[in-house]
Amino acid sequence: MRHPQNSRDYTQVEALLRRTLRSVCRQTVDDFRVVVVCNRVPQGEFGPAVEFVQVDFPPPSAEAGPTTGREAVLTDKGTKLAVGLLAAQRYAPDYVMKVDADDFVSRHLAELAAGGRGGGWYVDDGFVVSAATGLMTPCTDFNSWCGTSEVVANSSYDLPADLPGLDASQEELTRRLGSLLVRDLLGSHRRSVAHFAAAGVPLEPVPFPGAAYTIGTGENHSGRAWMDRGRPVTRRQAEEFGIEHLRRPSAWISLLRQESGHAVRRLREVRGGARDPSARGAAPVAPATLEGLETTSRTPATDDHPAPN
């Protein structure tokens, strides 16, 4: 979880976490554990599969809001996930998955891991869902956009025999575990597939849509807040990802507004083409990727523009 200082409303951050945990804990098999690393443990009951590890890391940025910049993400997220990875070792896990505290996952991931023997998987096909509109749309190349996208064999992290304690500082974690692990593999997700392939333990694509990346929460690192296409969440999608709360009547109003907006744009394009002879007969525009779904940010996740926590 992000630092309380780096949020607009930390009660909203905790509410988003509760929804994410409900999604994660709906797995079809019971052989899994969830470790949440945070500066402040939320109140309430979260079930026997969930444990919290509290850290006293300082705010990663002086910004009193969620848009903190790349370095803050790599440091705060990377070191917290390092603590989570260390805490998970007490369970001798076969596989470990990083999950952002506002995303949703397929209920079949633990079942997939239970039957696996290789290096793990990455989510290539997933969904983007808007908390603002309740609309959901498929997303290819999902791993390039969202950190909730890797199920990695625990052995592939190649942890040292002498592990730091859960109370280690951020500096000690980085020094003893290495910047590659803490910043590049845990703090980021852009290099994991290539890294593990080069190490001889490649990740395979999850053979079904594996996760849903949430935008429009008001707490995204990137500030992404809107997408101008999608469909209301179906009953099957709600059951698969634990997102029944997004099956709401207002999503159909958002759909009507979306389709009306598209119709107006098409009409303007037709009228503009009629006035411009050079535009007649032009090839149709290719379908948009995720880059074209958002109205507040159209920059793909890269090392300079990381995807949100």
Side-chain angles (χ1 to χ4, degrees), residues 167-218:
D167 59 350
S169 68
Q170 292 175 301
E171 293 75 14
E172 183 182 359
L173 289 167
T174 303
R175 176 174 55 82
R176 294 180 60 180
L177 298 179
S179 179
L180 171 65
L181 173 60
V182 173
R183 291 170 58 85
D184 295 337
L185 300 182
L186 297 178
S188 180
H189 58 90
R190 294 283 295 175
R191 303 180 185 180
S192 297
V193 173
H195 169 81
F196 290 119
V201 283
L203 305 181
E204 301 294 332
V206 173
F208 48 82
Y213 163 33
T214 311
I215 64 173
T217 66

Side-chain angles (χ1 to χ4, degrees), residues 55-68:
V55 296
D56 61 355
F57 298 161
S61 171
E63 295 291 333
T67 308
T68 57

